[in-house]
Amino acid sequence: MEILTDDTRRFLTATAPEHDEVQAEMAAYAAEHGFPIIGPEAGGFLRLVARLVDAERLFEFGSGFGYSATWFAKGMADECELFVTEHDPTELEMARDYFERLGLADQTTFLEGDALDSFGETEGEFDLVLFDHQKHRYAEAFDLVRDRVAVGGVIIADNVMRGPLDFGALADREVGVASALDGTNEDTRGIAAYLDAVRADPRFETLVLPLGNGLSVSYRVE
């Protein structure tokens, strides 16, 4: 199910920021291999958020070969710390190679394995968190990070409107159709559970934006 009209999509694509040389290679690889990435429209938004909150520390749940983290890094402090996670060692090695070429490898921790387990190996607060792992585990991940997001920090969840989910059922559920999720897959139910959890926490203000595959953006206010 498409979430934007053709004209809106063309407009957003035309006004999106351009890739740098390395990002262009990453995007070309993704297109060739059918690998889902957020794209420059949503990527530009990640960069803007990082800049607006003066972000210094990022943790990503599910990084693939590092495309989204490169956008965050463009808006972060020069001495930022990046924590990227991936269960596939080949993709993680690709991320390492790309980040070396971008001058980001020395400030990046590359964590192989389950993202939730990897988060438990870290310490301190984070200014930015991205959820882009198994959709049915977003709420579980939020429970782990909610107390470790700095006040003024942001959690962004990808694929809340498009991806391995039934967006029509999710939309019906949000407008009050009680049976809307009956028979849907675990990813659809997982996104619903995540949106419930993050909106129920009074410390966060949340808004969903139809950029890329749909981004849920939650700002920690207290």
Side-chain angles (χ1 to χ4, degrees):
M1 181 176 182
E2 296 298 328
I3 60 177
L4 297 174
T5 66
D6 289 342
D7 284 344
T8 300
R9 188 179 304 105
R10 287 193 304 113
F11 180 79
L12 291 175
T13 299
T15 57
E18 294 184 0
H19 287 130
D20 61 31
E21 182 178 350
V22 175
Q23 286 178 320
E25 288 186 29
M26 299 171 87
Y29 176 88
E32 180 180 353
H33 295 275
F35 191 99
I37 57 174
I38 60 172
E41 300 91 344
F45 177 74
L46 302 188
R47 180 181 66 183
L48 178 63
V49 169
R51 201 181 305 281
L52 289 174
V53 304
D54 295 323
E56 296 181 356
R57 299 187 83 214
L58 161 72
F59 191 96
E60 288 195 340
F61 286 73
S63 299
F65 52 81
Y67 178 85
S68 57
T70 67
W71 282 107
F72 278 124
K74 284 176 175 287
M76 295 177 71
D78 290 340
E79 301 302 318
C80 63
E81 289 184 87
L82 311 174
F83 293 79
V84 298
T85 65
E86 179 52 48
H87 63 83
D88 185 323
T90 300
E91 291 177 13
L92 198 63
E93 190 59 33
M94 289 175 62
R96 193 187 305 273
D97 178 64
Y98 285 130
F99 281 31
E100 286 177 354
R101 293 169 58 192
L102 288 166
L104 297 171
D106 289 344
Q107 60 208 84
T108 303
T109 301
F110 301 89
L111 298 168
E112 181 182 340
D114 184 86
L116 279 72
D117 292 340
S118 295
F119 186 78
E121 300 171 7
T122 68
E123 297 180 351
E125 291 187 329
F126 291 91
D127 306 298
L128 294 170
V129 172
L130 175 71
F131 295 148
D132 196 10
H133 58 302
Q134 296 161 304
K135 315 312 168 193
H136 65 276
R137 300 183 71 193
Y138 277 17
E140 182 183 358
F142 177 63
D143 283 339
L144 284 179
V145 310
R146 66 170 82 199
D147 294 329
R148 291 179 53 193
V149 175
V151 174
V154 175
I155 300 172
I156 296 178
D158 192 20
N159 293 113
V160 301
M161 299 177 74
R162 187 169 60 182
L165 55 85
D166 184 340
F167 178 56
L170 191 63
D172 286 344
R173 183 256 191 186
E174 290 297 323
V175 298
V177 179
S179 62
L181 298 186
D182 291 353
T184 58
N185 63 25
E186 63 178 354
D187 289 320
T188 304
R189 298 192 302 273
I191 293 297
Y194 171 73
L195 293 175
D196 284 347
V198 73
R199 289 180 297 185
D201 191 323
R203 295 172 296 177
F204 290 88
E205 291 183 358
T206 298
L207 187 68
V208 174
L209 300 176
L211 283 173
N213 291 320
L215 301 176
S216 169
V217 184
S218 301
Y219 177 85
R220 183 163 181 184
V221 296
E222 61 181 52

